[in-house]
Amino acid sequence: MSSLQVLCSGLPLRPLPENRGRQAGVPHAPVRTPGLSLVEKQLALRNALRYFPADVQELLAPEFAQELQLYGHIYMYRFCPDIEMRAYPVEQYPCQTKAAAAIMHMIMNNLDPAVAQFPQELVTYGGNGQVFSNWAQFWLTMFYLSKMTEEQTLVMYSGHPLGLFPSSRSAPRLIITNGMVIPNYSSRMEYEKLFALGVTMYGQMTAGSYCYIGPQGIVHGTVLTVLNAARRYLGIEDLAGKVFVTSGLGGMSGAQAKAAVIVGCIGVIAEVDKAALEKRHKQGWLMEVTDSLDRCIQRLREARKRKEALSLGYHGNVVALWERLVHELDTTGECLVDLGSDQTSCHNPFNGGYYPVQLSFTEAQSLMASNPAVFKDLVQESLRRQVSAINKLAKEKFFFWDYGNAFLLEAQRAGADVEKKGAGRTEFRYPSYVQHIMGDIFSQGFGPFRWVCTSGDPQDLAVTDELATSVLEEAIANGVKASVKLQYMDNIRWIREAARHQLVVGSQARILYSDQKGRVAIAVAINQAIACRRIKAPVVLSRDHHDVSGTDSPFRETSNIYDGSAFCADMAVQNFVGDACRGATWVALHNGGGVGWGEVINGGFGLVLDGTPEAEQRARLMLSWDVSNGVARRCWSGNQKAYEIICQTMQENSSLVVTLPHEVEDERVLQQALQL
């Protein structure tokens, strides 16, 4: 078994580690079909071998070529570390800076088998959200981090560690870009080839920026989404006896079962991969499991009658579940579902993100590799059937929304009936959850703020929970707007439920949705607690890229921006650069996130709090910009809630000056002008 010291000593070459190949008994990424020519295969092999000296290339070349042939990518399984992959306490990493040790802590958490979806393929979540492209990159990155000083910055090109470069103490220690492909070539087909060549990578959002905290992150987002969906669509606060139907129990989607129980409803979640379903059941995130539709419907009826909170995993295809619900409606007149969505990885529908109902899981995996064209046809037929069933149920008092996974976008491309008459390019028959449910929350500056206690001590996390709760309670006591108070109250409830439900998987982390004031105040409180040793080790602040200003995505994060700028990515790029300028420990900019390659640009950050005054100043500057960038953009696009927040912030901070937009109050001005 390797040690952390060995892990940080560079690529293991003399002797080479034993080639154990793919590990049995763990989930593996689907086989990719990049369709490389012979010349391109040679280039992919050349690109992989350049990490290794000439004296081992002859040995490695055949096995790398075999990986490319069998799996469609060179992962370098031989170099998968022989160590328990997890987030070790930060002081155990052999580093010269606290920042570097914190980054190592986060990287290893992303690859922890309890956290990662396909750990041996370096995929954290979403079917293809990579931490690195291959294991050589992992070893070199750990080596560079162990040698890094406070006057160096590590540069990452789509998983490839370019090297340590001179910089200043105030500069980021790490700068990451993933998938920065020239726009005209940012297509799904081009991506498969470029990834197979080893020259670009799909970092998803928090996978390739080393900030994933397990499914807890989306548990919270799902809790807020379902709560606010019930308020908006059903006009209720209490979800007892209400049924939420969805699909996916893998990476991010694995959170849905726990979220359903926290809000007190009945969550029925379909999952085709038995391993993913069993993983959530063993973790205690899923209460019951069945592979029988009859039993599923029977249990759903019982829970509705008793108004019990339940998470029920159906091992089968969600299309079959939706069609059975239609059958129940047709034969009994009873609609058994109130709320519905979908969290399959539909941004990647033809390579394991969505499985067609016509095939078993095993049959589908085989066909997607052997005959991608036929597999695509079946996927699109399945999407049409799923939408057809949802449309029939939606005629009753049932409400469906797109969860930002490109489900409706791919359904539209498949020819499903999702059109909305007279709508713009970003709108469908059913809304994105950002458009209807979470959009106003983002516009007020609330988003998925999070922190990780690098000591690995649950007691440190308990202290941060207490501090965050106190900060929010104090803000309410001092007086806030009713809409802000509602969000603070939801988050206080969330923190208490999170501790009670034991939501930590991997690193000792917590998430809550907070606005600019809340984020800064919580960061300052945590930093002061580190300074007085109430918290034993540095704390990493981060967020999901899926936030008020982190992402430009016309079918999700910016889908409720109607000034025509939904397809413009200035905000995400400015966020990345602005965070770097204002003190972030590391920053990341990605092409492709939850809605797919070429559909989104997103930026993220990590900020290490170490108890120093400098860390507090960085937090104040960087967190303020990280939020206000997006609120100002939404204000300028005409969002009234964002307008109010920016006006209030400018009153409180004279350093913030934003030109406020003027509304066209008389529509005749436009009409008369256009008549000319």
Side-chain angles (χ1 to χ4, degrees):
M1 183 72 73
S2 297
S3 65
L4 291 177
Q5 285 71 26
V6 171
L7 210 61
C8 295
S9 61
L11 271 168
L13 298 173
R14 295 175 181 82
L16 288 170
E18 177 188 358
N19 183 16
R20 301 186 302 275
R22 274 195 170 196
Q23 182 182 341
V26 299
H28 289 287
V31 173
R32 297 179 177 276
T33 53
L36 300 184
S37 67
L38 178 59
V39 171
E40 289 168 332
K41 289 177 181 178
Q42 291 173 340
L43 182 56
L45 196 56
R46 184 187 304 277
N47 288 343
L49 291 171
R50 61 186 171 177
Y51 288 102
F52 303 93
D55 63 325
V56 297
Q57 289 179 0
E58 187 174 355
L59 173 65
L60 296 177
E63 68 187 55
F64 288 175
Q66 185 179 41
E67 287 183 16
L68 185 62
Q69 182 68 26
L70 291 177
Y71 311 121
H73 187 74
I74 300 171
Y75 296 106
M76 306 183 184
Y77 289 113
R78 177 190 288 269
F79 295 94
C80 185
D82 181 22
I83 190 172
E84 182 186 356
M85 189 68 72
R86 62 181 176 86
Y88 290 84
V90 71
E91 70 274 4
Q92 294 184 20
Y93 291 97
C95 294
Q96 299 186 48
T97 73
K98 293 179 181 178
I103 295 167
M104 287 182 166
H105 180 92
M106 301 292 283
I107 287 173
M108 293 190 71
N109 184 68
N110 268 29
L111 293 170
D112 182 341
V115 174
Q117 185 179 12
F118 305 127
Q120 271 209 299
E121 287 77 40
L122 304 111
V123 172
T124 299
Y125 66 90
N128 60 349
Q130 304 282 150
V131 185
F132 300 100
S133 180
N134 59 57
W135 283 106
Q137 293 173 350
F138 168 83
W139 283 92
L140 289 174
T141 300
M142 297 294 281
F143 170 75
Y144 282 133
L145 287 169
S146 72
K147 302 301 180 185
M148 175 193 289
T149 71
E150 293 284 359
E151 294 174 344
Q152 290 175 310
T153 293
L154 176 58
V155 176
M156 302 293 299
Y157 278 16
S158 291
H160 170 67
L162 194 65
L164 294 170
F165 293 82
S167 61
S168 67
R169 296 179 67 87
S170 61
R173 298 278 70 81
L174 174 65
I175 295 179
I176 304 167
T177 53
N178 282 311
M180 289 293 108
V181 174
I182 302 300
N184 276 355
Y185 305 92
S186 188
S187 68
R188 192 175 283 159
M189 183 182 297
E190 288 289 345
Y191 167 71
E192 292 296 339
K193 285 196 172 187
L194 292 171
F195 179 64
L197 290 176
V199 295
T200 199
M201 190 182 84
Y202 193 86
Q204 267 275 359
M205 291 184 153
T206 51
S209 61
Y210 320 145
C211 293
Y212 188 59
I213 60 167
Q216 177 189 171
I218 201 170
V219 172
H220 185 30
T222 305
V223 164
L224 292 182
T225 300
V226 177
L227 280 176
N228 284 286
R231 290 165 179 159
R232 180 180 180 101
Y233 299 133
L234 305 178
I236 60 173
E237 291 282 341
D238 183 3
L239 281 100
K242 300 301 179 182
V243 178
F244 172 50
V245 171
T246 183
S247 58
L249 284 167
M252 298 284 278
S253 60
Q256 296 183 105
K258 180 63 76 173
V261 174
I262 290 175
V263 301
C265 73
I266 300 153
V268 183
I269 307 98
E271 172 58 62
V272 294
D273 185 352
K274 189 174 183 180
L277 188 141
E278 289 180 343
K279 179 178 181 179
R280 298 307 174 203
H281 192 223
K282 288 176 182 177
Q283 288 175 339
W285 287 52
L286 184 63
M287 293 167 64
E288 298 179 19
V289 173
T290 182
D291 60 4
S292 164
L293 273 175
D294 289 341
R295 173 59 181 164
C296 187
I297 297 300
Q298 177 192 3
R299 191 67 186 92
L300 186 161
R301 289 184 186 277
E302 292 172 356
R304 285 183 86 211
K305 184 176 180 179
R306 298 171 185 167
K307 292 190 174 183
E308 63 179 298
L310 172 69
S311 57
L312 175 62
Y314 166 58
H315 179 217
N317 196 290
V318 73
V319 180
L321 177 58
W322 284 119
E323 291 179 340
R324 177 61 182 268
L325 290 167
V326 170
H327 173 74
E328 294 297 318
L329 175 64
D330 290 342
T331 56
T332 69
E334 188 177 15
C335 185
L336 296 176
V337 56
D338 302 283
L339 299 170
S341 193
D342 184 279
Q343 274 198 33
T344 54
S345 296
C346 228
H347 69 277
N348 182 35
F350 311 124
N351 197 29
Y354 182 95
Y355 283 81
V357 67
Q358 305 91 329
L359 303 173
S360 70
F361 180 62
T362 304
E363 289 170 341
Q365 285 192 312
S366 175
L367 185 64
M368 81 172 72
S370 64
N371 197 332
V374 172
F375 182 80
K376 179 179 179 180
D377 288 343
L378 291 177
V379 164
Q380 293 190 321
E381 179 189 332
S382 191
L383 283 166
R384 292 192 295 271
R385 284 175 57 177
Q386 182 169 346
V387 168
S388 177
I390 290 168
N391 288 348
K392 291 174 184 176
L393 292 165
K395 294 176 183 177
E396 308 297 318
K397 196 178 179 183
F398 158 68
F399 301 91
F400 183 88
W401 67 87
D402 185 291
Y403 221 135
N405 61 338
F407 172 74
L408 290 180
L409 180 63
E410 288 301 330
Q412 179 192 54
R413 290 168 176 167
D417 183 11
V418 295
E419 298 297 330
K420 179 180 179 181
K421 291 182 179 179
R425 293 168 65 191
T426 64
E427 295 181 273
F428 301 99
R429 170 184 289 205
Y430 304 104
S432 156
Y433 78 120
V434 172
Q435 287 171 327
H436 273 194
I437 303 171
M438 301 297 282
D440 282 348
I441 295 174
F442 280 174
S443 297
Q444 294 177 86
F446 283 87
F449 179 57
R450 56 180 60 164
W451 59 87
V452 176
C453 298
T454 64
S455 65
D457 188 342
Q459 183 56 40
D460 276 357
L461 184 61
V463 172
T464 63
D465 282 349
E466 179 185 335
L467 290 171
T469 303
S470 297
V471 164
L472 299 184
E473 288 175 338
E474 183 179 348
I476 292 171
N478 290 337
V480 293
K481 291 172 56 178
S483 58
V484 173
K485 180 180 178 180
L486 178 64
Q487 295 306 318
Y488 279 175
M489 292 299 294
D490 281 350
N491 279 281
I492 290 170
R493 170 184 172 181
W494 157 257
I495 291 176
R496 290 171 177 157
E497 290 289 335
R500 187 169 71 86
H501 283 269
Q502 300 178 338
L503 293 177
V504 169
V505 176
S507 60
Q508 293 295 315
R510 186 67 75 226
I511 181 174
L512 61 79
Y513 269 58
S514 186
D515 58 357
Q516 177 180 321
K517 284 185 179 179
R519 298 186 207 203
V520 172
I522 291 168
V524 170
I526 290 175
N527 195 62
Q528 291 173 350
I530 297 169
C532 68
R533 299 296 297 167
R534 189 178 172 198
I535 296 174
K536 294 180 284 298
V539 170
V540 174
L541 301 183
S542 183
R543 57 160 169 74
D544 194 346
H545 298 206
H546 170 60
D547 196 4
V548 55
S549 67
T551 300
D552 285 297
S553 174
F555 297 100
R556 192 163 78 174
E557 284 79 3
T558 49
S559 62
N560 66 331
I561 290 180
Y562 301 120
D563 67 347
S565 68
F567 291 87
C568 301
D570 300 84
M571 181 178 70
V573 176
Q574 289 284 359
N575 184 264
F576 165 78
V577 176
D579 285 354
C581 294
R582 291 170 177 84
T585 308
W586 72 93
V587 288
L589 186 68
H590 299 177
N591 169 16
V595 294
W597 183 261
E599 304 285 358
V600 51
I601 299 293
N602 63 86
F605 76 86
L607 176 64
V608 176
L609 298 178
D610 59 8
T612 62
E614 292 79 12
E616 179 176 324
Q617 177 67 3
R618 286 172 178 243
R620 289 184 184 275
L621 285 173
M622 200 224 77
L623 293 176
S624 296
W625 160 254
D626 194 66
V627 175
S628 62
N629 173 36
V631 177
R633 191 264 178 96
R634 285 167 165 78
C635 163
W636 192 250
S637 71
N639 186 287
Q640 183 60 34
K641 291 185 182 296
Y643 183 97
E644 293 168 2
I645 294 293
I646 281 294
C647 288
Q648 179 183 344
T649 307
M650 283 198 291
Q651 290 176 358
E652 298 168 352
N653 185 354
S654 60
S655 295
L656 175 64
V657 181
V658 175
T659 302
L660 299 174
H662 297 284
E663 286 294 314
V664 176
E665 297 180 0
D666 188 347
E667 289 293 321
R668 289 177 300 176
V669 172
L670 304 178
Q671 295 166 5
Q672 291 171 3
L674 291 172
Q675 286 175 1
L676 295 177

